[in-house]
Each structure stands twice: as structure tokens, then as C-alpha cells.
Amino acid sequence: MNNEKLAMLTEKAKLVRKGIIESTHAAGCGHPGGSLSIADIVTYLYFAEMHIDEKNPKMENRDRFVLSKGHAAPALYSVLANRGYFPLEDLKTLRKTGSYLQGHPDMKGTPGVDMTTGSLGLGISGACGMALAGKLSGNSYRVYCAVGDGESEEGQVWEAAMFAAHYKLDNLTVFLDLNGLQIDGKVADVMNPTPHDEKFAAFGWNVITIDGHNFAEIEEAVNAAKACKGKPTAIIAKTTKGKGVSFMEDQVGWHGKAPNDEQYAIAMADLDR
Amino acid sequence: MAEKIATREAYGNALVEFGNEYENLVVLDADLAEATKTCKFKAAHPDRFFDCGIAEGNMMSVAAGLAASGFIPFASSFAMFAAGRAFEQVRNSIGYPHLNVKIGATHAGLTVGEDGATHQCNEDIALMRTIPGMTIINPADAVEAKAAVKAAIEFKGPVYLRFGRYAVPTVNGEDYTFELGRGVELCDGKDVSIVASGLTVHMALEAAELLKADGISARVINIHTIKPIDADILVKAAKETGAIVTAEEHSIIGGLGSAVADVLSEKCPVPMRRIGVGDKYGKSGQVPDLLKEYGITTENIVVKAKEVIKMKK
């Protein structure tokens, strides 16, 4: 990755993270931790990879993104706002009465949201349906999906894993956000779903493990997924929950809690560093 | 009423026929294609049939993804697994975003017979009714089943279609026209109205004949679309006949009887009796025996009609 692209993505990721903090702070609730862990991945997809048009969000041959870990909606909304789908100012309406930015993504109400998600395990199946549709219609679009490591405790994730490999959905790329934490504690302590790489491989997937905060590695993995024929790709992305905000990093307590005014100031200063 | 055919057979045939007409129609099943009769579509249109294996939750959400990308998926399984196992996927992946998915649920109700309680779903209508924006169709015979499939294809939004395993008499003629959301008055009457759906429609017609012999004039109404229900035809029946009997192959909790009571209790309360499965599970057995034991019979409709007439002021 050249320096110019890296600098652009680094700057955009900073703005996406700021949007996550802005929106959850304004809402007084929401899920900043798991939003910050996938901020770099969604930034890469929306600013460097996906064939999309913010002025035509329903464009038929667009690439699709399904946020299966729907509680990370602040990350999706922030990247969409920064990409020009809707005004940045609207991020402050997150979760408020009358807002089109629902607590979890609503494809009917929010421009750019490709699939309604939030109930864990459902999104990856929806992404499979979209990928199958692409194959059937002879459309060349690609489908991206982000699944949480806690989410992978849902049996449906593995039903979908079977389905995608069985129907050779090589137009599907799933990011497994391996941030290691879920509501009740460490994923390894609550109900250990690891090793994800061996599980996806056993289900017949192409598997790539990366640092989910390294743009060069994200780029390389996405390109490898595009080059892989006959198999869906799982990118196991090692991430840090709360990445970029000092007091949130790797803290289980920041799964579903919003920063107060004081914490907001510290978080924004952290992101400006 | 000579020919007997299961509505699931008509479903399978209709998918094949309309599959020719609609190139974006695709069919999903969960390892029950031989039983749901989607195997007919699989044979005719193999490139548009996708077995999802025994994983109904995934199947429903996959269907949502297909619908979000311009296809009209029919997702099929037994009612127990389509509405029961996959309730949450139907609600959140399909219902909430109001996606254009058609759920073809077969083997509904007691007439599953020998397989017994685990497979006899008497709760699917109740479950589906609670999902905002869900359309529910429960066809009475093969003619109506085919028409219902066509109507579901032409309607944009989620539809739950309920089909039976058991062969039932054909009550509708070939010239029958199906209108989504419109009840059908099969015969007029002034003393009582029998409101039926699916399997019980032919029983209601037989009951009306028996009542006629006893000097009672019974109106018979077929409610094929349970949601949105035809409130007008029900209110008219309540006003004009003053007494209602509902009959269904489903729990009386949350099914047709409940849906009719919802309408009439607010708009035109009259004496009413509900025939259907009580607050209990099914069991293994021969279909005629089971229907008799649970009171879903022509004879019981006659009994309840006479009972409810006596309650009229």
C-alpha cells in the first residue's frame, strides 16, 4: 500500500472513530467498543474497496456490506456519513426518537444500509442470500460481512458457513472481528468459539488471518479473497475492542456503554493524537 | 366435492407452473422437498432450487438476502420448523424489513397424523399473526392453494402460506377467483354463520347441509386470508345472523377463532363458539380419529351452531 493511500485511510478511520464517539455520546448509550474494533475494516471497505455510489444507494450492481454484528451500528453509520450517504450532523440523532439511525441497522430507514441486522447470527445468512443472488443473476458484485467473535457462538453462523461453502459463494468475504470480548467477559471464558481459522477451514472456506487494524494487511486479504475461486473467504481479523480510545481499549465494560462528557473529551483528544 | 388432493401437492404444482412464468422465482427447502412437494420444482427448475439442509433459521435469513437482491424466494419446510424453529429469523430477517419472501409451510396442524405432537404445529398462525405486516393465507383446497401461490407472487411483501399433508375435498370450482384479504361467502344463511379456513371449509359446508335438514339456515364463510382479515364480511355476518361459530385446524388460542373474536368483540359482539385444538398438544394417530378426538368435525360444528343459536337474545 502506498503512503498516500495509507494516509488517506488513516485520516478517514480517525473521522469514523470520532463519529462513533460523537454519536454514542449524544445518544447516551450504544456500543462503542465493538464499533471501534471494526472501524478500520469498514473504513477500508467503504473508502478503498467497495463499488458503491452514495448518491444511488440501491444501485443494482453495487457491492454489499452486511453488519452481522449489528450492535456496531455506530461504526456503520459513521462510515456511511463520512462517505456522504447522509449528513454527519445526523450522527448525533443516533437512537433518538424519530431518528432514522436506529439502535441496530434498519435497511428500510437508513440510506446505504444493505441489510437489517442486530439479532446475532442472522446477518451472515442474509449475506449468503445476497451472494447467491449475485451468482444467480450473473452480477459481479461482491458481498462483505462482519461477524463478531462473540456472535460466532450462535449456531446460525455455522449453518451459514456450511451454506456458503456448499454453494461455492466465492463472492462472499466475511470478516470475523476477533476482539476477544463480549458482554459477560472474555469470549474465551464465556463460551469459547475458537479456533475460528480451523473451524472455517473445516467448513470449506478460504481462511486468512490478519491484524484488523493494519490497512496493508486488510488490503492484501481482501485482494486474496477476490482472487480465490470456488470458496468463500473468512478473514480472521485480530482486533482490539475500543481501539483508539485509551480507556476503552480491551475493556469489557465498554461493550455497551456511552462516554459521558468528561470521557468524551478524553476520547476525542485520544483520537486526535 | 369428489376429488381429494392435499394442498401441499397443489403448492408443488403451482411452483412449477409459476416458475416458468417468473424467472426470478427461486425455491429453498430444508431437507423436506419430497414432503413439502418442492421436489416438483427441483425437478423442473434445478438451477433455481436450493436445498439448505436441516437448518431452517439460516434458510429464512438466506431467503431475506435473496429478496433484498430482487428474487422472489419461496422458503419451505414443515409449519413447525418454518414458523416455530425459525420464528425469530422470520420476524427479524424477513418481517421487520418487510422483504418479499414467501414462506411455504406444509404439514400444518393435526393432520400430520402419525408423526405426532412434535410435528403437529397448531401454533403457526398464532405466531405469524403477531408479526407486523405479515400476510397469512390458509387455503381450503387445491384450487385455492394454486390461486394463493399466484397471489403471493403478485403481492410485494412477506407472505406465510399454510398447506396441509392430508388430502382434502375440492370445494372451489375451476372458475374460482381468489382475492387476497377477501373472505368468501360460500352459502348464505340467516340463523348462524360458520367461519372456516383451510381443512374445515368442507366440513362447514357439510354442517350447513345437516343444519338445513333441521330447519336451521347457516351461512358459511371461507376466510382464506387470516391476515389481513376481512373484517367487513365478519361484521356483516354477525349483524345479519347474530351468532358465529369458527372452525380451524389450529389452536383456538391465536388462530382463526381469535382473529375473528378480535374483530367482532370490538365491532359487533355476538354469541360465539370456537372449534379447534384446545390448550393442548397433538398426538400420533390416524387423521380421522385425531380430528374426532379434538372435536374438529362436521358433527361438532353442527352441535356448536345449535348451542350458539340458543345464546342469541
Side-chain angles (χ1 to χ4, degrees), chain B residues 185 188-191 193 219 235-242 312:
Chain B
E185 191 179 297
D188 194 10
K190 59 180 176 39
D191 299 327
S193 294
R219 181 178 300 188
V235 170
K236 184 167 175 280
K239 276 183 182 156
E240 292 175 1
T241 70
K312 287 163 73 170

Side-chain angles (χ1 to χ4, degrees), chain B residues 268-292:
Chain B
C268 186
V270 293
M272 190 173 158
R273 283 284 180 271
R274 292 171 298 153
I275 293 171
V277 179
D279 191 16
K280 55 177 88 160
Y281 293 98
K283 60 165 81 166
S284 289
Q286 307 277 286
V287 170
D289 296 342
L290 291 173
L291 292 174
K292 197 172 174 191

Side-chain angles (χ1 to χ4, degrees), chain A residues 62 64 102 104-108 114-117 119-134 136-137 141 156 159-163 166-167, chain B residues 26 28 47-71 85 88-94 96-99:
Chain A
R62 74 189 185 281
R64 273 95 166 146
Q102 293 289 296
H104 294 83
D106 167 18
M107 65 186 286
K108 285 285 182 218
D114 289 318
M115 178 55 70
T116 296
T117 55
S119 172
L120 297 177
L122 276 57
I124 183 173
S125 301
C128 287
M130 291 176 167
L132 179 63
L136 273 173
S137 57
Y141 66 74
Q156 188 171 342
E159 293 183 2
M162 247 186 299
F163 183 93
H166 185 84
Y167 286 109
Chain B
V26 297
L28 309 176
D47 52 330
R48 284 186 277 149
F49 175 85
F50 301 94
D51 209 314
C52 296
I54 310 164
E56 297 81 7
N58 178 62
M59 175 174 73
M60 292 303 174
S61 301
V62 164
L66 282 159
S69 314
F71 285 90
R85 171 74 65 102
E88 205 250 3
Q89 286 82 358
V90 173
R91 190 231 187 232
N92 277 325
S93 289
I94 298 170
Y96 176 38
H98 202 71
L99 287 169

